[in-house]
Amino acid sequence: MQQVYDEKVREKILFEELENGLKVYVMPKKGYTKQFAIFATRFGSNDSKFIAPGDDYVTEVPDGVAHFLEHKMFEEEEGSIFEKFSQLGASANAYTNFTTTAYLFSSTENFYENLKLLVHFVQTPYFTDENVEKEKGIIAQEIRMYQDDPNWRVYFNALEALYHVYPVKKDIAGTIESISRIDKDILYKCYYTFYHPENMVLFAVGDIDVDKTLQVIEENVRQVKKQGEIKRIYPDEPVEVHKKEVVQNMQVSIPLFNLAFKDTDVGFGGRNLLKKSLEVQIGLEMAVGRSSELYEKLYQEGLVDSTFGFDYTGEIDYGYTIIGGQSKDPLKVRDIIIKAFKEKSFLDRETFERIKRKYIGKFLRTFNSVESIAYSFINLYMKDIDLMDYLPVLHQINFKDVAERVESHLNEETSAMSIIYPVK
């Protein structure tokens, strides 16, 4: 296996690409009692239109297929996968987001047996007309639950405001109408397209034997030929925001708001994307973080409370910032924040250096937890970013970089507002 060693964090990651194209990464952590493995595919809710390898036609599937497929993968003819992990003393889970579906487990014993089970069940689909129809009812309930969640709605209303046509504006689970059109043939088509080993990655971390880990994976993964590139088809998204404001009334006691900013500098991954993401996050921390003058002002005036926060999502083809929480006067909060971004008085070198040191410390703490390591690795990997590039890129960022990024990204022209008001 190839090895990458980082002297500053004193950690190593070993890498092997199998003949079928599966990328395997192993990080040994001597002395750790917990082990963690995550098996992920580049297939998320955005991937509803594509040309599969070998096809000469476009396949378009209903919204929510990636999430639906994740649910169905845990069902086998003999019963539930969760029970099998539980019997081996492991805790299993999975998640689907806009770009990725991942299956994982954590354990303190029987690691290799659990790893074998993980590889086996993700490589063994079992879909029937009956179990697909049954799952529709379960997922429909989940969709209704999220539709009734004000925090979920204020978030997706913000994405609806930002985006005209890009699929990130759509709920990851789809709609009740869209999932009604899913059948086993659609699931198998997506499975054999996106769950091919060449489109997947497996990351394992803990006090584990590297050679034995690789052996278990090689013996249980599907032995197939590489399939070639999947052509994903996304619509051309205009630069401008779709709507400046989306308002909804729900059962809340205090209004909720999401002030969103659309990132228009997109279309690249790797170290450049990492650098941009860190610039935005440092700029946001300087502007509206808990130690900022702006946050203190908003808090002291009773305009925000402990729910106030921010987040930047930076993917290869899209990106956005969300600033939000509860507020008795969301529009006033928006105006104050927009004004602060125009004036940029929060941009000073001393604060920049302090926040940068904070992010260095935050990253180093990641290596204290096998879960944090694994989630960070997969999140970055799906953006073509190497985990070990994080610290060198962070060290390269200077005050001018952050000031320019704030100027280009956090401005009124790229902003939109989502508000949930109490029912009158």
Side-chain angles (χ1 to χ4, degrees), residues 234-246:
Y234 304 124
D236 293 329
E237 172 65 30
V239 173
E240 302 79 16
V241 299
H242 182 211
K243 304 173 183 176
K244 291 302 288 184
E245 191 173 286
V246 175

Side-chain angles (χ1 to χ4, degrees), residues 122-140:
V122 175
Q123 295 280 288
T124 312
Y126 174 65
F127 312 135
T128 66
D129 293 330
E130 293 75 20
N131 68 28
V132 170
E133 285 304 311
K134 180 182 176 183
E135 197 66 40
K136 289 179 183 179
I138 296 169
I139 294 179

Side-chain angles (χ1 to χ4, degrees), residues 346-408:
F346 58 87
L347 287 173
D348 71 90
R349 295 179 185 277
E350 185 178 334
T351 303
F352 163 74
E353 292 297 340
R354 177 174 57 82
I355 298 300
K356 185 174 174 180
R357 288 194 299 271
K358 175 183 175 180
Y359 272 73
I360 291 170
K362 185 179 177 182
F363 176 71
L364 293 175
R365 286 196 299 276
T366 298
F367 292 94
N368 294 330
S369 161
V370 293
E371 293 94 340
S372 296
I373 294 168
Y375 285 126
S376 296
F377 180 91
I378 293 297
N379 178 45
L380 294 172
Y381 176 89
M382 293 300 175
K383 304 172 189 182
D384 300 331
I385 299 169
D386 188 327
L387 178 67
M388 294 306 195
D389 282 342
Y390 192 99
L391 214 51
V393 170
L394 180 53
H395 279 299
Q396 289 173 9
I397 293 172
N398 58 46
F399 177 77
K400 183 172 178 284
D401 294 332
V402 173
E404 289 176 351
R405 187 63 62 183
V406 168
E407 175 75 31
S408 64

Side-chain angles (χ1 to χ4, degrees), residues 63-99:
D63 294 334
V65 168
H67 173 260
F68 201 108
L69 187 49
E70 175 220 310
H71 271 236
K72 292 311 304 165
M73 287 307 300
F74 279 95
E75 186 171 339
E76 287 192 322
E77 195 168 2
E78 309 90 62
S80 169
I81 294 297
F82 287 110
E83 292 178 9
K84 293 182 179 180
F85 276 110
S86 181
Q87 290 166 3
L88 289 168
S91 175
N93 210 337
Y95 65 85
T96 304
N97 57 33
F98 298 118
T99 63

